[in-house]
């Protein structure tokens, strides 16, 4: 019996989904749906206008455990329901929880709501409380159009196991949000504990880059970045940039691939609203003090990246890293330490 069991294909037995599904790389005519199975299987997505009406089928015969399937040929600004599974079995979906939204056409002015969270992936009660507060809110107001991650997504080291246990699990993770909300991540220093940081940024690999599929070729709007390190995308009349505060050798070099892309992306943008986000904030007096000399990525973002963002009139900057809630003046042109701040010079008054 043991010998027979070793020779038989594991796909003859029951398969199960152990991660996801979760939504990546939304475009103007498509979406990437990702999931992990406990054994290698082929992939099938069924989708349609409502549960029970999944009349369209997308197949991939490759036997894998990590499934990344990009659907194309869809209608913009449209909601589709879906299921995932194999060519013979539906494993999840075909219900009111599993749906995705294709991006609206570029430039269309319409209300846009994002949920931005950072430094969350600890798998603890606080993470669950914030999640449950969001779930309670959207029962009244409707779900967010997009989900922004501000880095330090999985503690303490951004390993695949920590992502699985702290983020994708069903207790403190996000099982009711992943299947229906477009996710737009950026990495933090804890995610980078599992990245080969000493290599050139264009050689960076690790669980963060394995788990997420982001638009590197301009397929969601913006200028192609060519890297998963950073990217941009459009939602209606809002242009968003997901940056990377951990690639210090490129952030400090005004002639790097990153700086060239950043200036090209902002100069090519024609949309009226611009939001940029990255992990390490340019200014903070919270659990991380941006005046401290060892907070090198924070000072680099302040001195080398913020002048570019401000010169192109970026409307809003979002960051994580410093575990506190802070309010201050609207600030522009302040690249020094906190003691150098002059509200009459650096404050912006609407």
């Amino acid at each position: 019996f043991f010998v027979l069991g070793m020779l038989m294909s594991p796909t003859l037995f029951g398969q199960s989904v152990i991660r996801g599904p979760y939504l990546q790389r939304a475009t103007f005519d498509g979406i990437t749906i990702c999931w992990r199975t406990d054994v290698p299987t082929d992939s099938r997505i069924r989708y349609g206008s409502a549960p029970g009406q999944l009349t369209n089928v997308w197949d991939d015969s490759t036997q894998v455990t990590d499934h990344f399937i990009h659907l194309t040929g869809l209608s913009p600004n449209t909601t589709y329901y879906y299921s995932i599974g194999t060519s013979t079995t539906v494993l999840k979906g075909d219900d009111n929880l599993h749906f995705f939204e294709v991006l609206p056409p570029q430039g269309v002015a319409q209300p846009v709501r994002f949920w931005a969270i950072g430094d969350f992936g600890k798998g603890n009660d606080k993470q669950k409380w914030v999640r449950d507060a969001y779930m309670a809110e959207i029962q009244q107001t409707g779900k967010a159009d997009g989900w922004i991650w501000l880095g330090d997504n999985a503690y303490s080291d951004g390993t695949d196991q920590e992502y699985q246990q702290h983020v994708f699990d069903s207790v403190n993770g996000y099982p009711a949000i992943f299947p229906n909300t477009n996710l737009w991540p950026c990495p933090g220093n804890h995610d980078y504990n599992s990245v080969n940081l000493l290599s050139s940024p264009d050689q960076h690999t690790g669980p963060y880059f394995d788990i997420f599929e982001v638009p590197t070729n301009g397929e969601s709007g913006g200028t192609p970045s060519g890297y998963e390190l950073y990217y941009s995308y459009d939602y209606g009349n809002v242009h968003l940039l997901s940056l990377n505060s951990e690639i210090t050798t490129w952030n400090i070099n005004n002639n790097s691939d990153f700086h060239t892309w950043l200036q090209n992306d902002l100069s090519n943008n024609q949309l009226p609203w611009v939001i940029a986000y990255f992990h390490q904030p340019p200014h903070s007096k919270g659990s991380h003090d941006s005046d401290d000399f060892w907070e090198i990525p924070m000072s680099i973002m302040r001195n080398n990246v913020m002048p570019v963002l401000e010169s192109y009139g970026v409307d809003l900057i979002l960051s994580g890293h410093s575990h506190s809630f802070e309010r201050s003046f609207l600030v522009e042109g302040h690249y020094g330490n906190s003691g150098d701040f002059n509200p009459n010079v650096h404050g912006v008054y609407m």
Side-chain angles (χ1 to χ4, degrees), residues 113 134 136-144:
R113 300 172 69 237
Y134 168 79
E137 171 67 19
I138 66 174
Q139 298 303 313
Q140 305 299 321
T141 62
K143 63 178 286 295

Side-chain angles (χ1 to χ4, degrees), residues 160-180:
D160 185 85
Q161 182 179 9
E162 288 169 343
Y163 269 99
Q164 185 69 24
Q165 293 178 342
H166 299 169
V167 181
F168 287 104
D169 87 284
S170 60
V171 178
N172 298 316
Y174 307 93
I177 304 173
F178 277 126
N180 53 55

Side-chain angles (χ1 to χ4, degrees), residues 174-186:
Y174 307 93
I177 304 173
F178 277 126
N180 53 55
T181 307
N182 295 332
L183 167 59
W184 306 95
C186 81

Side-chain angles (χ1 to χ4, degrees), residues 106-143:
Q106 289 171 287
V108 172
Q110 64 183 54
V112 179
R113 300 172 69 237
F114 289 95
W115 184 38
I117 59 174
D119 305 76
F120 55 89
K122 294 187 176 183
N124 57 17
D125 285 342
K126 293 179 181 179
Q127 178 182 343
K128 181 174 64 175
W129 296 338
V130 173
R131 177 202 66 194
D132 291 348
Y134 168 79
M135 294 299 296
E137 171 67 19
I138 66 174
Q139 298 303 313
Q140 305 299 321
T141 62
K143 63 178 286 295

Side-chain angles (χ1 to χ4, degrees), residues 106-243:
Q106 289 171 287
V108 172
Q110 64 183 54
V112 179
R113 300 172 69 237
F114 289 95
W115 184 38
I117 59 174
D119 305 76
F120 55 89
K122 294 187 176 183
N124 57 17
D125 285 342
K126 293 179 181 179
Q127 178 182 343
K128 181 174 64 175
W129 296 338
V130 173
R131 177 202 66 194
D132 291 348
Y134 168 79
M135 294 299 296
E137 171 67 19
I138 66 174
Q139 298 303 313
Q140 305 299 321
T141 62
K143 63 178 286 295
D145 299 299
W147 188 9
I148 290 173
W149 286 10
L150 299 174
D152 283 2
N153 311 307
Y155 282 86
S156 292
D157 297 310
T159 66
D160 185 85
Q161 182 179 9
E162 288 169 343
Y163 269 99
Q164 185 69 24
Q165 293 178 342
H166 299 169
V167 181
F168 287 104
D169 87 284
S170 60
V171 178
N172 298 316
Y174 307 93
I177 304 173
F178 277 126
N180 53 55
T181 307
N182 295 332
L183 167 59
W184 306 95
C186 81
N189 55 290
H190 281 274
D191 305 295
Y192 256 74
N193 285 341
S194 293
V195 172
N196 52 324
L197 183 59
L198 297 181
S199 300
S200 172
D202 60 341
Q203 301 298 315
H204 284 179
T205 60
Y208 170 85
F209 299 107
D210 295 336
I211 293 169
F212 301 115
E213 294 277 316
V214 298
T216 62
N217 297 314
E219 60 268 50
S220 302
T223 299
S225 68
Y227 301 106
E228 290 186 319
L229 301 165
Y230 47 82
Y231 59 96
S232 61
Y233 56 99
D234 297 334
Y235 198 103
N237 66 345
V238 183
H239 184 61
L240 300 101
L241 302 92
S242 174
L243 307 184

